[in-house]
Each structure stands twice: as structure tokens, then as C-alpha cells.
Amino acid sequence: MLLSRKAKEAIKTALAMTIAYGIALSLDWDKAMWTGFTVAMISLSTIGQSINKAALRIVGTLVAAVVALTMIAWFAQDRWLLITAMLVLVGVCTYMMAGPRHQYFWHVLAFVTVIIVMSSNADPERSFYIAVVRAQETGLGILVYSLVALLLWPNDSRADFETVVKQFAATQHQQYRLYHDRMMGKTDDPALQSVTAAALQQQNQLGQLRAAAQTDSYPVWELRAEWQRYQALVGELAELLAQWRESFNELQALELKTYFLNLDDFHAELDQRFAQIERLLNGQAAESQPSPIAVSYT
């Protein structure tokens, strides 16, 4: 019987959680549920994504243990200073979670620190025990799931990454065409909002899947510098398209062809370049080479 990808991922997660729970209970570890939570949290669709998230979780847990024990050592005798220190930490972590990198690390750092401090009632001995148990069970969950994912139906991120790269290129091309039509005063296309939302979602997926594919796919790792450069370039293009969209109202009030003599030729060249990029990403030879062109002003 052939199993779907969803069924395989469900079986792997359930098997890893059962094994992890069994080991934790057989060792008589307290809070065995933390092992199961770890398996559930790092279980993603590809090995690379799971490993990257697991790395952020274990590093965040270890740093949180150090931070929590330090807070208790400094402020165990003053509950208000302890609470203030936790509030500052959670605030900093919340701010950093809005950044472009390692959001999950800051998420784990915040909630694990709070768990260790609050569960121990600021008792140094109890807090050390909870920190050790939390680190042990997090590590166990990561180890068990990683072994199961590697041995049972391993699935790398390369195919998903390449699919998103092609989709994002096509979406940006469609964005350019729709924005050009809008700038030239044509009726607002109802697909404009949905295409813009899809581009934002695909841009986020591109960054996540590139990092995952670099972890579990050697061909992507070998060309990591080129892929990072490509991601940076399409990110700059996305920013330019967003700035262009914000200026529609001002541009529509102008007779652009009066001021820019070769605007149609410039548009045709850019449209052709977008089309050739899509062909190259789909493994096809380019039909033409880009021609240098500049906008002529009156």
C-alpha cells in the first residue's frame, strides 16, 4: 500500500513521540511530557527544516537555563527585581522575534526561562534540577526524532525549495505586469491584492526553505553562496516593487509617456528579462540575451 507524504510524516512523528516518551518514562525522568512536546514542535515536512528548528530549540533551551539560573542567583531574595528582570527579558525576546533571523530561538529563550524560574519558586536547588531536566528531555526528543526522520522515509528540502524559487519568480513577473498596467491608468485588476499577498508568503518560504535545503541537500549546500546572493537580489526586487506600488496615486496623475519617450520599449525589455529568468529556473535555455536600455527623458 502506497502512503501519502502526510501519512508518512504522521507515522514518523507518532513513532518518535512514542519512543521518546518510553525512554523518558523508563529512566524515571520528571516531566516526560517535555520530551513529547519537543518531538511535536520540531516535526516539520523535511529533514532540513526539522534539524534547523531543533538546533534553535536546544540552543535556546541551554541559553535559557543559564539565564534563569543567573537571575535566581542574583535576585532570589527580591521577588520584584526577579519579576522585573523576567519582564525585561521577555520584552527583548519579543522584540527580537520580529526580526528576520532566529525568531524561534528567541521564542524558546523567553518561555523556557519563565518556566524554570516560575516552576522552582526561586529555589536555587530546585531551579537547577528543572533546568537540567528540561535540557535532558529536549535533547532526547531531538535525538529520537532526528534518528527516526533520517532512517524512516527521509525527505530533503531541495524539491520544495526549487518549487518555491520558480513560483516566486513567476509571481514577481506577474506583479510587475499588474503594477505596470496600474501605473498606466488601466482598471485595477482584482488579482492585484492576491498576487501581492502570495509574493510576500513565497518570499518568507524562500528564506526558510533555502536554510533547510542547505542543511539536508548537498547540491544546494555546494551552491549556497549563489543561492544566498539570489535571495538577496529577489528581496531587493520585492522592496522596489513595494515602493512602486505605494507611488501609484502620484504616477497616475502624470502623462508619463510625455516625459519618458521610450517607456514602452523599457517595459518590453524588463518583461522579456522576467520571462527569461523563468525559463532558466525551469531548466530551459534562454531565448534571448538582455539588451542594455535606459529611459529617455524629455
Side-chain angles (χ1 to χ4, degrees), residues 171 174-175 178-179 187-199:
T171 301
Q174 188 178 4
Q175 269 187 294
L178 291 172
Y179 288 3
T187 304
D188 190 7
D189 194 310
L192 186 62
Q193 296 298 328
S194 61
V195 170
T196 302

Side-chain angles (χ1 to χ4, degrees), residues 37-291:
F37 285 158
T38 298
V39 173
M41 290 299 103
I42 67 171
S43 175
L44 298 175
S45 58
T46 64
I47 295 176
Q49 289 177 292
S50 297
I51 291 176
N52 288 346
K53 192 171 184 180
L56 294 175
R57 188 174 183 89
I58 189 62
V59 173
T61 299
L62 294 176
V63 174
V66 174
V67 172
L69 294 176
T70 301
M71 285 184 180
I72 292 173
W74 286 352
F75 310 121
Q77 303 304 319
D78 193 325
R79 69 181 66 180
W80 290 111
L81 284 177
L82 182 60
I83 292 174
T84 301
M86 283 197 300
L87 289 175
V88 171
L89 175 69
V90 172
V92 170
C93 291
T94 303
Y95 174 80
M96 297 301 295
M97 284 170 58
R101 300 183 62 192
H102 308 319
Q103 297 95 333
Y104 190 60
F105 164 80
W106 297 104
H107 175 70
V108 173
L109 174 58
F111 80 78
V112 173
T113 300
V114 173
I115 287 175
I116 295 173
V117 173
M118 301 304 293
S119 299
S120 64
N121 294 321
D123 178 73
E125 184 177 351
R126 177 65 179 169
S127 62
F128 181 78
Y129 170 76
I130 293 176
V132 170
V133 170
R134 183 80 191 193
Q136 282 180 329
E137 298 193 353
T138 298
L140 176 62
I142 290 172
L143 177 62
V144 171
Y145 180 80
S146 298
L147 290 175
V148 171
L150 287 170
L151 297 175
L152 188 64
W153 300 308
N155 183 36
D156 64 37
S157 308
R158 181 183 177 185
D160 291 343
F161 171 62
E162 292 178 346
T163 298
V164 170
V165 168
K166 296 173 185 177
Q167 290 176 345
F168 191 36
T171 301
Q172 286 193 316
H173 188 187
Q174 188 178 4
Q175 269 187 294
Y176 170 74
R177 287 178 170 173
L178 291 172
Y179 288 3
H180 174 266
D181 292 344
R182 177 72 182 275
M183 181 184 70
M184 300 308 295
K186 296 183 179 179
T187 304
D188 190 7
D189 194 310
L192 186 62
Q193 296 298 328
S194 61
V195 170
T196 302
L200 181 59
Q201 180 182 16
Q202 290 164 6
Q203 185 177 4
N204 293 332
Q205 291 177 339
L206 179 65
Q208 296 171 0
L209 289 172
R210 181 191 59 78
Q214 285 182 191
T215 301
D216 61 22
S217 175
Y218 180 74
V220 179
W221 167 260
E222 193 175 25
L223 298 174
R224 61 190 181 280
E226 287 77 7
W227 281 121
Q228 290 171 359
R229 176 61 175 162
Y230 177 80
Q231 183 183 351
L233 290 174
V234 294
E236 292 176 6
L237 177 59
E239 291 181 5
L240 289 174
L241 289 172
Q243 293 172 5
W244 187 15
R245 185 179 70 248
E246 293 173 357
S247 64
F248 282 157
N249 293 333
E250 292 80 4
L251 292 174
Q252 286 179 331
L254 300 175
E255 292 292 336
L256 295 177
K257 292 185 179 181
T258 303
Y259 302 103
F260 306 106
L261 302 179
N262 63 338
L263 191 58
D264 290 338
D265 295 336
F266 187 77
H267 163 65
E269 175 61 26
L270 290 182
D271 189 68
Q272 181 67 15
R273 292 187 185 188
F274 274 110
Q276 299 312 309
I277 290 173
E278 290 184 67
R279 288 184 59 85
L280 292 174
L281 290 175
N282 283 286
Q284 303 172 352
E287 295 178 331
S288 62
Q289 295 297 318
S291 303

